[in-house]
Amino acid sequence: MSVLLERVKAGLPLDDVQIIDVHGHVGPWHEYYIPDISEEGTLRIMDRIGIDRAVIFSNAGAESDHVLGNRLVADYVAPHRDRFLPLVFPNPRYPDELVSEIDHYCGTLRWGGIKIHPARNHYPADGPNYSPVWEYADEHNLPVVAHTWEDPYCNARIFDRVATRYPGVKIVLYHSCKPDYVGVVDLVKKHENLFLELTDVSPSNGLVEWLCSGVGAERILFGSDFGGWFSPLHGIGPVLYATISDEEKMKILGQNAAQVFGL
Amino acid sequence: MNFDSQCMIGRRCHKLEFEPWSKADLLSQMDHCGIDRALVRHAVSVEYDPAVGNDLLIEELEGENSLEPVWVLAPHETSSLEPADDMMEKMSVNGVRSVALYPNTHGYPFDEFACGDLFEALALTRTPVFLSIQEASWPSIRQILSAFPALRLVVTNLGWGALRYVYPMFEEFEELRVDTSGIRIQMGLESICERFGSHRLLFGSRWPLFAPGAALTMLNYSFLSDDERQNVASQNLTRLLDAREIA
């Protein structure tokens, strides 16, 4: 009987479990209405279930102006650096700005890493404009989180090449190359520096268990697209209810993220 | 108590390796998650033929007290189903209190022209009608609810951007409800409850495709009051089903 699950069924905060949501958005999204995207609202939800920290980056970077977006994130996290770990969001379509932008936020302001979204920027993750990003991450031991999908810009084959080229860079594969789950399991087994992430993946019935059996709980990170997209409550539910051990759940919920992001 | 308004059993043409499908799978996961009852439709009704699947469902659910059947209907003129009034009676005989429609999948217009008799009978008998938003457009739903304001429509599987459609629809149509399976937006449940009332929401998981833990955690950790939570978790659906007029 899962002690954790019994508390979840009772709706109790999981304050003694380390929970780090590695996928959070700051700001509105142009395509739809989110009733509360405020920092206070997000913290309230985090506290409700017991999410200790959240890794965040800008929506503006994903849909509009990455320089504006990074600045908005800086304002957002300032009062609560202990709860939010910000990531810089570079746009490869502006190659002249890449290194200076990353260096300002990750170097000077000591942000937690780099987020890339090859699909939104319509630029492949292994393209030459992203090389300075990978090289910077490699040189400074920074994790990179990448939107992945079965699409021309950020699929498993592309990250096979990236991971081979930069074996020292920890790369978190947001959305686990959805829906190429077979391919991504093979990929993660091949490369020690790759990690799966569960945003928009965990709700698929049975998938958390299947990925666990494929790559091991040590290689999976919980994330939810919270804030400027979804509520963390939707994505965390399938992990909490998954038919895996509590020890495996704890790795996925936060222990793995603590190691990847050095928390 | 948790009463899941949207489950489907039966083999499907395209099933991923890790996805459950059978009645036994459903009962096992309901037990694991603490879901007490579920409305269930049959995949054969959706993917093959509504009449065949509806009959299979009755056979398979016989004796299962925690599972209640949902029949898939379509216009009788172009299907093997009975005319609307006869169908309402047949449903009552078989203990079926709600229906689901799949106009896109089954290739018929979701409008008064093609489905008028059916909507009239469903509205008259206060039969809850489940309709995935992937099966009809919001404009067509608006047209139907304008023509049949008493129709107890439950729109399911809302997409991420649904609130911009749902809010004006809720303003206009008192009998419109939605299930919670697709509501993943931050504070989405709370916002709907605050603006339109918790009676608009039915807990639904979209089993077998979605893990029930997603919708359960959204609800159990929400900022709804205890009464609101219980309404959404089971009481709204129970009231809706109990209100069906026996033909």
Side-chain angles (χ1 to χ4, degrees), chain B residues 175-206:
Chain B
E175 290 296 347
L176 177 64
R177 295 160 178 85
V178 297
D179 89 327
T180 63
S181 66
I183 300 178
R184 346 186 189 179
I185 295 292
Q186 194 153 290
M187 298 298 280
L189 296 181
E190 293 85 345
S191 179
I192 289 175
C193 285
E194 187 182 348
R195 289 172 73 149
F196 303 104
S198 62
H199 63 284
R200 300 290 198 150
L201 293 166
L202 306 181
F203 165 66
S205 69
R206 201 176 174 185

PDB file of all heavy atoms in Angstrom, chain B residues 175-206:
ATOM      1  N   GLU B 175     -28.351  24.924 -19.480  1.00  0.00           N
ATOM      2  CA  GLU B 175     -28.268  23.462 -19.342  1.00  0.00           C
ATOM      3  C   GLU B 175     -26.955  22.890 -19.875  1.00  0.00           C
ATOM      4  O   GLU B 175     -26.803  21.668 -19.928  1.00  0.00           O
ATOM      5  CB  GLU B 175     -29.447  22.803 -20.080  1.00  0.00           C
ATOM      6  CG  GLU B 175     -30.788  23.042 -19.420  1.00  0.00           C
ATOM      7  CD  GLU B 175     -30.891  22.418 -18.033  1.00  0.00           C
ATOM      8  OE1 GLU B 175     -30.026  21.588 -17.672  1.00  0.00           O
ATOM      9  OE2 GLU B 175     -31.827  22.787 -17.296  1.00  0.00           O
ATOM     10  N   LEU B 176     -26.036  23.750 -20.239  1.00  0.00           N
ATOM     11  CA  LEU B 176     -24.752  23.266 -20.747  1.00  0.00           C
ATOM     12  C   LEU B 176     -23.838  22.914 -19.579  1.00  0.00           C
ATOM     13  O   LEU B 176     -23.736  23.657 -18.604  1.00  0.00           O
ATOM     14  CB  LEU B 176     -24.082  24.338 -21.608  1.00  0.00           C
ATOM     15  CG  LEU B 176     -22.687  23.986 -22.145  1.00  0.00           C
ATOM     16  CD1 LEU B 176     -22.745  22.792 -23.092  1.00  0.00           C
ATOM     17  CD2 LEU B 176     -22.085  25.198 -22.848  1.00  0.00           C
ATOM     18  N   ARG B 177     -23.191  21.767 -19.705  1.00  0.00           N
ATOM     19  CA  ARG B 177     -22.200  21.353 -18.737  1.00  0.00           C
ATOM     20  C   ARG B 177     -20.958  20.883 -19.480  1.00  0.00           C
ATOM     21  O   ARG B 177     -21.029  20.630 -20.687  1.00  0.00           O
ATOM     22  CB  ARG B 177     -22.750  20.225 -17.846  1.00  0.00           C
ATOM     23  CG  ARG B 177     -23.918  20.659 -16.966  1.00  0.00           C
ATOM     24  CD  ARG B 177     -24.709  19.464 -16.509  1.00  0.00           C
ATOM     25  NE  ARG B 177     -25.813  19.824 -15.627  1.00  0.00           N
ATOM     26  CZ  ARG B 177     -27.011  20.214 -16.036  1.00  0.00           C
ATOM     27  NH1 ARG B 177     -27.259  20.326 -17.345  1.00  0.00           N
ATOM     28  NH2 ARG B 177     -27.962  20.500 -15.168  1.00  0.00           N
ATOM     29  N   VAL B 178     -19.858  20.753 -18.749  1.00  0.00           N
ATOM     30  CA  VAL B 178     -18.637  20.209 -19.331  1.00  0.00           C
ATOM     31  C   VAL B 178     -18.045  19.202 -18.366  1.00  0.00           C
ATOM     32  O   VAL B 178     -18.285  19.272 -17.162  1.00  0.00           O
ATOM     33  CB  VAL B 178     -17.592  21.318 -19.641  1.00  0.00           C
ATOM     34  CG1 VAL B 178     -18.121  22.297 -20.677  1.00  0.00           C
ATOM     35  CG2 VAL B 178     -17.141  22.034 -18.391  1.00  0.00           C
ATOM     36  N   ASP B 179     -17.270  18.275 -18.916  1.00  0.00           N
ATOM     37  CA  ASP B 179     -16.582  17.360 -18.021  1.00  0.00           C
ATOM     38  C   ASP B 179     -15.199  17.921 -17.719  1.00  0.00           C
ATOM     39  O   ASP B 179     -14.731  18.853 -18.390  1.00  0.00           O
ATOM     40  CB  ASP B 179     -16.531  15.936 -18.597  1.00  0.00           C
ATOM     41  CG  ASP B 179     -15.311  15.669 -19.487  1.00  0.00           C
ATOM     42  OD1 ASP B 179     -14.840  16.598 -20.168  1.00  0.00           O
ATOM     43  OD2 ASP B 179     -14.820  14.524 -19.508  1.00  0.00           O
ATOM     44  N   THR B 180     -14.534  17.352 -16.731  1.00  0.00           N
ATOM     45  CA  THR B 180     -13.260  17.939 -16.288  1.00  0.00           C
ATOM     46  C   THR B 180     -12.033  17.313 -16.946  1.00  0.00           C
ATOM     47  O   THR B 180     -10.918  17.730 -16.674  1.00  0.00           O
ATOM     48  CB  THR B 180     -13.099  17.784 -14.754  1.00  0.00           C
ATOM     49  OG1 THR B 180     -13.037  16.392 -14.428  1.00  0.00           O
ATOM     50  CG2 THR B 180     -14.245  18.450 -14.013  1.00  0.00           C
ATOM     51  N   SER B 181     -12.243  16.338 -17.837  1.00  0.00           N
ATOM     52  CA  SER B 181     -11.097  15.589 -18.364  1.00  0.00           C
ATOM     53  C   SER B 181     -10.091  16.477 -19.081  1.00  0.00           C
ATOM     54  O   SER B 181      -8.894  16.229 -19.034  1.00  0.00           O
ATOM     55  CB  SER B 181     -11.560  14.473 -19.307  1.00  0.00           C
ATOM     56  OG  SER B 181     -12.149  15.019 -20.477  1.00  0.00           O
ATOM     57  N   GLY B 182     -10.582  17.519 -19.760  1.00  0.00           N
ATOM     58  CA  GLY B 182      -9.669  18.359 -20.527  1.00  0.00           C
ATOM     59  C   GLY B 182      -9.330  19.665 -19.842  1.00  0.00           C
ATOM     60  O   GLY B 182      -8.567  20.474 -20.388  1.00  0.00           O
ATOM     61  N   ILE B 183      -9.856  19.892 -18.649  1.00  0.00           N
ATOM     62  CA  ILE B 183      -9.609  21.166 -17.978  1.00  0.00           C
ATOM     63  C   ILE B 183      -8.308  21.062 -17.209  1.00  0.00           C
ATOM     64  O   ILE B 183      -8.266  20.557 -16.083  1.00  0.00           O
ATOM     65  CB  ILE B 183     -10.773  21.555 -17.053  1.00  0.00           C
ATOM     66  CG1 ILE B 183     -12.054  21.675 -17.874  1.00  0.00           C
ATOM     67  CG2 ILE B 183     -10.474  22.873 -16.344  1.00  0.00           C
ATOM     68  CD1 ILE B 183     -13.285  22.016 -17.062  1.00  0.00           C
ATOM     69  N   ARG B 184      -7.204  21.508 -17.814  1.00  0.00           N
ATOM     70  CA  ARG B 184      -5.915  21.441 -17.156  1.00  0.00           C
ATOM     71  C   ARG B 184      -5.334  22.824 -16.889  1.00  0.00           C
ATOM     72  O   ARG B 184      -4.240  22.949 -16.368  1.00  0.00           O
ATOM     73  CB  ARG B 184      -4.870  20.707 -17.998  1.00  0.00           C
ATOM     74  CG  ARG B 184      -5.299  19.907 -19.164  1.00  0.00           C
ATOM     75  CD  ARG B 184      -4.067  19.204 -19.695  1.00  0.00           C
ATOM     76  NE  ARG B 184      -4.281  18.541 -20.944  1.00  0.00           N
ATOM     77  CZ  ARG B 184      -3.323  17.879 -21.594  1.00  0.00           C
ATOM     78  NH1 ARG B 184      -2.113  17.806 -21.099  1.00  0.00           N
ATOM     79  NH2 ARG B 184      -3.584  17.307 -22.725  1.00  0.00           N
ATOM     80  N   ILE B 185      -6.072  23.830 -17.287  1.00  0.00           N
ATOM     81  CA  ILE B 185      -5.591  25.200 -17.120  1.00  0.00           C
ATOM     82  C   ILE B 185      -5.479  25.540 -15.643  1.00  0.00           C
ATOM     83  O   ILE B 185      -6.330  25.140 -14.836  1.00  0.00           O
ATOM     84  CB  ILE B 185      -6.567  26.178 -17.809  1.00  0.00           C
ATOM     85  CG1 ILE B 185      -6.565  25.945 -19.307  1.00  0.00           C
ATOM     86  CG2 ILE B 185      -6.263  27.606 -17.482  1.00  0.00           C
ATOM     87  CD1 ILE B 185      -5.268  26.342 -19.962  1.00  0.00           C
ATOM     88  N   GLN B 186      -4.456  26.311 -15.289  1.00  0.00           N
ATOM     89  CA  GLN B 186      -4.271  26.730 -13.907  1.00  0.00           C
ATOM     90  C   GLN B 186      -5.492  27.527 -13.445  1.00  0.00           C
ATOM     91  O   GLN B 186      -5.857  28.523 -14.047  1.00  0.00           O
ATOM     92  CB  GLN B 186      -2.994  27.586 -13.815  1.00  0.00           C
ATOM     93  CG  GLN B 186      -2.491  27.814 -12.420  1.00  0.00           C
ATOM     94  CD  GLN B 186      -0.991  28.056 -12.382  1.00  0.00           C
ATOM     95  OE1 GLN B 186      -0.207  27.152 -12.618  1.00  0.00           O
ATOM     96  NE2 GLN B 186      -0.598  29.278 -12.083  1.00  0.00           N
ATOM     97  N   MET B 187      -6.129  27.058 -12.379  1.00  0.00           N
ATOM     98  CA  MET B 187      -7.319  27.664 -11.778  1.00  0.00           C
ATOM     99  C   MET B 187      -8.537  27.615 -12.706  1.00  0.00           C
ATOM    100  O   MET B 187      -9.494  28.375 -12.544  1.00  0.00           O
ATOM    101  CB  MET B 187      -7.037  29.122 -11.355  1.00  0.00           C
ATOM    102  CG  MET B 187      -5.949  29.250 -10.311  1.00  0.00           C
ATOM    103  SD  MET B 187      -6.336  28.417  -8.751  1.00  0.00           S
ATOM    104  CE  MET B 187      -7.418  29.622  -8.003  1.00  0.00           C
ATOM    105  N   GLY B 188      -8.535  26.687 -13.639  1.00  0.00           N
ATOM    106  CA  GLY B 188      -9.675  26.548 -14.553  1.00  0.00           C
ATOM    107  C   GLY B 188     -10.940  26.107 -13.840  1.00  0.00           C
ATOM    108  O   GLY B 188     -12.015  26.679 -14.033  1.00  0.00           O
ATOM    109  N   LEU B 189     -10.833  25.067 -13.005  1.00  0.00           N
ATOM    110  CA  LEU B 189     -12.007  24.590 -12.270  1.00  0.00           C
ATOM    111  C   LEU B 189     -12.553  25.687 -11.359  1.00  0.00           C
ATOM    112  O   LEU B 189     -13.770  25.911 -11.279  1.00  0.00           O
ATOM    113  CB  LEU B 189     -11.654  23.371 -11.424  1.00  0.00           C
ATOM    114  CG  LEU B 189     -11.209  22.097 -12.132  1.00  0.00           C
ATOM    115  CD1 LEU B 189     -10.937  20.994 -11.111  1.00  0.00           C
ATOM    116  CD2 LEU B 189     -12.236  21.635 -13.137  1.00  0.00           C
ATOM    117  N   GLU B 190     -11.658  26.336 -10.657  1.00  0.00           N
ATOM    118  CA  GLU B 190     -12.069  27.360  -9.697  1.00  0.00           C
ATOM    119  C   GLU B 190     -12.767  28.522 -10.405  1.00  0.00           C
ATOM    120  O   GLU B 190     -13.776  29.040  -9.924  1.00  0.00           O
ATOM    121  CB  GLU B 190     -10.848  27.877  -8.924  1.00  0.00           C
ATOM    122  CG  GLU B 190     -10.208  26.867  -7.992  1.00  0.00           C
ATOM    123  CD  GLU B 190      -9.195  25.961  -8.668  1.00  0.00           C
ATOM    124  OE1 GLU B 190      -9.166  25.899  -9.920  1.00  0.00           O
ATOM    125  OE2 GLU B 190      -8.418  25.304  -7.950  1.00  0.00           O
ATOM    126  N   SER B 191     -12.220  28.900 -11.547  1.00  0.00           N
ATOM    127  CA  SER B 191     -12.784  30.025 -12.282  1.00  0.00           C
ATOM    128  C   SER B 191     -14.190  29.719 -12.764  1.00  0.00           C
ATOM    129  O   SER B 191     -15.100  30.553 -12.663  1.00  0.00           O
ATOM    130  CB  SER B 191     -11.868  30.362 -13.457  1.00  0.00           C
ATOM    131  OG  SER B 191     -12.383  31.421 -14.213  1.00  0.00           O
ATOM    132  N   ILE B 192     -14.393  28.516 -13.276  1.00  0.00           N
ATOM    133  CA  ILE B 192     -15.732  28.134 -13.744  1.00  0.00           C
ATOM    134  C   ILE B 192     -16.704  28.104 -12.581  1.00  0.00           C
ATOM    135  O   ILE B 192     -17.839  28.603 -12.664  1.00  0.00           O
ATOM    136  CB  ILE B 192     -15.690  26.767 -14.460  1.00  0.00           C
ATOM    137  CG1 ILE B 192     -14.980  26.909 -15.812  1.00  0.00           C
ATOM    138  CG2 ILE B 192     -17.092  26.197 -14.646  1.00  0.00           C
ATOM    139  CD1 ILE B 192     -14.773  25.588 -16.544  1.00  0.00           C
ATOM    140  N   CYS B 193     -16.288  27.520 -11.464  1.00  0.00           N
ATOM    141  CA  CYS B 193     -17.171  27.444 -10.293  1.00  0.00           C
ATOM    142  C   CYS B 193     -17.547  28.828  -9.796  1.00  0.00           C
ATOM    143  O   CYS B 193     -18.702  29.087  -9.438  1.00  0.00           O
ATOM    144  CB  CYS B 193     -16.501  26.647  -9.174  1.00  0.00           C
ATOM    145  SG  CYS B 193     -16.490  24.883  -9.475  1.00  0.00           S
ATOM    146  N   GLU B 194     -16.568  29.696  -9.785  1.00  0.00           N
ATOM    147  CA  GLU B 194     -16.818  31.027  -9.247  1.00  0.00           C
ATOM    148  C   GLU B 194     -17.775  31.812 -10.138  1.00  0.00           C
ATOM    149  O   GLU B 194     -18.668  32.499  -9.661  1.00  0.00           O
ATOM    150  CB  GLU B 194     -15.488  31.789  -9.127  1.00  0.00           C
ATOM    151  CG  GLU B 194     -15.609  33.127  -8.430  1.00  0.00           C
ATOM    152  CD  GLU B 194     -14.277  33.864  -8.384  1.00  0.00           C
ATOM    153  OE1 GLU B 194     -13.240  33.252  -8.681  1.00  0.00           O
ATOM    154  OE2 GLU B 194     -14.270  35.069  -8.053  1.00  0.00           O
ATOM    155  N   ARG B 195     -17.577  31.702 -11.443  1.00  0.00           N
ATOM    156  CA  ARG B 195     -18.354  32.521 -12.364  1.00  0.00           C
ATOM    157  C   ARG B 195     -19.701  31.913 -12.725  1.00  0.00           C
ATOM    158  O   ARG B 195     -20.657  32.637 -12.960  1.00  0.00           O
ATOM    159  CB  ARG B 195     -17.551  32.772 -13.637  1.00  0.00           C
ATOM    160  CG  ARG B 195     -16.373  33.712 -13.421  1.00  0.00           C
ATOM    161  CD  ARG B 195     -15.472  33.807 -14.617  1.00  0.00           C
ATOM    162  NE  ARG B 195     -16.075  34.581 -15.700  1.00  0.00           N
ATOM    163  CZ  ARG B 195     -15.385  35.315 -16.568  1.00  0.00           C
ATOM    164  NH1 ARG B 195     -14.080  35.378 -16.478  1.00  0.00           N
ATOM    165  NH2 ARG B 195     -15.986  35.959 -17.539  1.00  0.00           N
ATOM    166  N   PHE B 196     -19.741  30.559 -12.784  1.00  0.00           N
ATOM    167  CA  PHE B 196     -20.952  29.937 -13.317  1.00  0.00           C
ATOM    168  C   PHE B 196     -21.568  28.894 -12.393  1.00  0.00           C
ATOM    169  O   PHE B 196     -22.669  28.409 -12.661  1.00  0.00           O
ATOM    170  CB  PHE B 196     -20.651  29.293 -14.683  1.00  0.00           C
ATOM    171  CG  PHE B 196     -20.092  30.264 -15.677  1.00  0.00           C
ATOM    172  CD1 PHE B 196     -18.737  30.258 -15.989  1.00  0.00           C
ATOM    173  CD2 PHE B 196     -20.914  31.200 -16.287  1.00  0.00           C
ATOM    174  CE1 PHE B 196     -18.217  31.168 -16.900  1.00  0.00           C
ATOM    175  CE2 PHE B 196     -20.406  32.105 -17.201  1.00  0.00           C
ATOM    176  CZ  PHE B 196     -19.051  32.107 -17.504  1.00  0.00           C
ATOM    177  N   GLY B 197     -20.875  28.513 -11.360  1.00  0.00           N
ATOM    178  CA  GLY B 197     -21.405  27.531 -10.422  1.00  0.00           C
ATOM    179  C   GLY B 197     -20.815  26.151 -10.635  1.00  0.00           C
ATOM    180  O   GLY B 197     -20.549  25.738 -11.768  1.00  0.00           O
ATOM    181  N   SER B 198     -20.659  25.437  -9.541  1.00  0.00           N
ATOM    182  CA  SER B 198     -20.036  24.112  -9.633  1.00  0.00           C
ATOM    183  C   SER B 198     -20.932  23.099 -10.326  1.00  0.00           C
ATOM    184  O   SER B 198     -20.454  22.027 -10.726  1.00  0.00           O
ATOM    185  CB  SER B 198     -19.672  23.601  -8.239  1.00  0.00           C
ATOM    186  OG  SER B 198     -20.843  23.465  -7.451  1.00  0.00           O
ATOM    187  N   HIS B 199     -22.221  23.416 -10.492  1.00  0.00           N
ATOM    188  CA  HIS B 199     -23.135  22.470 -11.144  1.00  0.00           C
ATOM    189  C   HIS B 199     -22.809  22.289 -12.625  1.00  0.00           C
ATOM    190  O   HIS B 199     -23.323  21.373 -13.271  1.00  0.00           O
ATOM    191  CB  HIS B 199     -24.588  22.936 -10.987  1.00  0.00           C
ATOM    192  CG  HIS B 199     -24.893  24.243 -11.649  1.00  0.00           C
ATOM    193  ND1 HIS B 199     -24.504  25.448 -11.107  1.00  0.00           N
ATOM    194  CD2 HIS B 199     -25.525  24.528 -12.807  1.00  0.00           C
ATOM    195  CE1 HIS B 199     -24.895  26.425 -11.914  1.00  0.00           C
ATOM    196  NE2 HIS B 199     -25.514  25.907 -12.959  1.00  0.00           N
ATOM    197  N   ARG B 200     -21.941  23.121 -13.145  1.00  0.00           N
ATOM    198  CA  ARG B 200     -21.585  23.034 -14.561  1.00  0.00           C
ATOM    199  C   ARG B 200     -20.545  21.956 -14.864  1.00  0.00           C
ATOM    200  O   ARG B 200     -20.291  21.660 -16.018  1.00  0.00           O
ATOM    201  CB  ARG B 200     -20.996  24.370 -15.021  1.00  0.00           C
ATOM    202  CG  ARG B 200     -21.943  25.536 -14.874  1.00  0.00           C
ATOM    203  CD  ARG B 200     -23.073  25.453 -15.870  1.00  0.00           C
ATOM    204  NE  ARG B 200     -23.704  26.771 -15.992  1.00  0.00           N
ATOM    205  CZ  ARG B 200     -24.290  27.213 -17.096  1.00  0.00           C
ATOM    206  NH1 ARG B 200     -24.357  26.462 -18.154  1.00  0.00           N
ATOM    207  NH2 ARG B 200     -24.823  28.419 -17.111  1.00  0.00           N
ATOM    208  N   LEU B 201     -19.941  21.436 -13.826  1.00  0.00           N
ATOM    209  CA  LEU B 201     -18.792  20.550 -14.015  1.00  0.00           C
ATOM    210  C   LEU B 201     -19.094  19.114 -13.600  1.00  0.00           C
ATOM    211  O   LEU B 201     -19.680  18.873 -12.545  1.00  0.00           O
ATOM    212  CB  LEU B 201     -17.603  21.049 -13.186  1.00  0.00           C
ATOM    213  CG  LEU B 201     -17.004  22.382 -13.610  1.00  0.00           C
ATOM    214  CD1 LEU B 201     -16.083  22.905 -12.505  1.00  0.00           C
ATOM    215  CD2 LEU B 201     -16.216  22.229 -14.899  1.00  0.00           C
ATOM    216  N   LEU B 202     -18.668  18.163 -14.410  1.00  0.00           N
ATOM    217  CA  LEU B 202     -18.769  16.747 -14.079  1.00  0.00           C
ATOM    218  C   LEU B 202     -17.368  16.158 -14.107  1.00  0.00           C
ATOM    219  O   LEU B 202     -16.660  16.290 -15.121  1.00  0.00           O
ATOM    220  CB  LEU B 202     -19.631  15.992 -15.095  1.00  0.00           C
ATOM    221  CG  LEU B 202     -21.037  16.506 -15.379  1.00  0.00           C
ATOM    222  CD1 LEU B 202     -21.720  15.600 -16.403  1.00  0.00           C
ATOM    223  CD2 LEU B 202     -21.857  16.551 -14.106  1.00  0.00           C
ATOM    224  N   PHE B 203     -16.988  15.493 -13.032  1.00  0.00           N
ATOM    225  CA  PHE B 203     -15.703  14.810 -13.022  1.00  0.00           C
ATOM    226  C   PHE B 203     -15.699  13.745 -14.122  1.00  0.00           C
ATOM    227  O   PHE B 203     -16.622  12.925 -14.239  1.00  0.00           O
ATOM    228  CB  PHE B 203     -15.466  14.160 -11.655  1.00  0.00           C
ATOM    229  CG  PHE B 203     -14.346  13.149 -11.665  1.00  0.00           C
ATOM    230  CD1 PHE B 203     -13.033  13.538 -11.893  1.00  0.00           C
ATOM    231  CD2 PHE B 203     -14.606  11.798 -11.469  1.00  0.00           C
ATOM    232  CE1 PHE B 203     -12.010  12.608 -11.927  1.00  0.00           C
ATOM    233  CE2 PHE B 203     -13.583  10.864 -11.495  1.00  0.00           C
ATOM    234  CZ  PHE B 203     -12.283  11.266 -11.728  1.00  0.00           C
ATOM    235  N   GLY B 204     -14.648  13.781 -14.938  1.00  0.00           N
ATOM    236  CA  GLY B 204     -14.509  12.789 -16.002  1.00  0.00           C
ATOM    237  C   GLY B 204     -13.035  12.568 -16.262  1.00  0.00           C
ATOM    238  O   GLY B 204     -12.250  13.522 -16.253  1.00  0.00           O
ATOM    239  N   SER B 205     -12.646  11.332 -16.509  1.00  0.00           N
ATOM    240  CA  SER B 205     -11.227  11.028 -16.673  1.00  0.00           C
ATOM    241  C   SER B 205     -10.810  10.849 -18.129  1.00  0.00           C
ATOM    242  O   SER B 205      -9.656  11.059 -18.483  1.00  0.00           O
ATOM    243  CB  SER B 205     -10.862   9.753 -15.915  1.00  0.00           C
ATOM    244  OG  SER B 205     -11.460   8.618 -16.542  1.00  0.00           O
ATOM    245  N   ARG B 206     -11.751  10.464 -18.980  1.00  0.00           N
ATOM    246  CA  ARG B 206     -11.456  10.063 -20.367  1.00  0.00           C
ATOM    247  C   ARG B 206     -10.646   8.766 -20.399  1.00  0.00           C
ATOM    248  O   ARG B 206      -9.733   8.576 -21.217  1.00  0.00           O
ATOM    249  CB  ARG B 206     -10.723  11.178 -21.116  1.00  0.00           C
ATOM    250  CG  ARG B 206     -10.831  11.054 -22.637  1.00  0.00           C
ATOM    251  CD  ARG B 206     -10.168  12.221 -23.330  1.00  0.00           C
ATOM    252  NE  ARG B 206     -10.151  12.037 -24.765  1.00  0.00           N
ATOM    253  CZ  ARG B 206      -9.558  12.855 -25.628  1.00  0.00           C
ATOM    254  NH1 ARG B 206      -8.935  13.932 -25.190  1.00  0.00           N
ATOM    255  NH2 ARG B 206      -9.600  12.613 -26.925  1.00  0.00           N
TER     256      ARG B 206
END
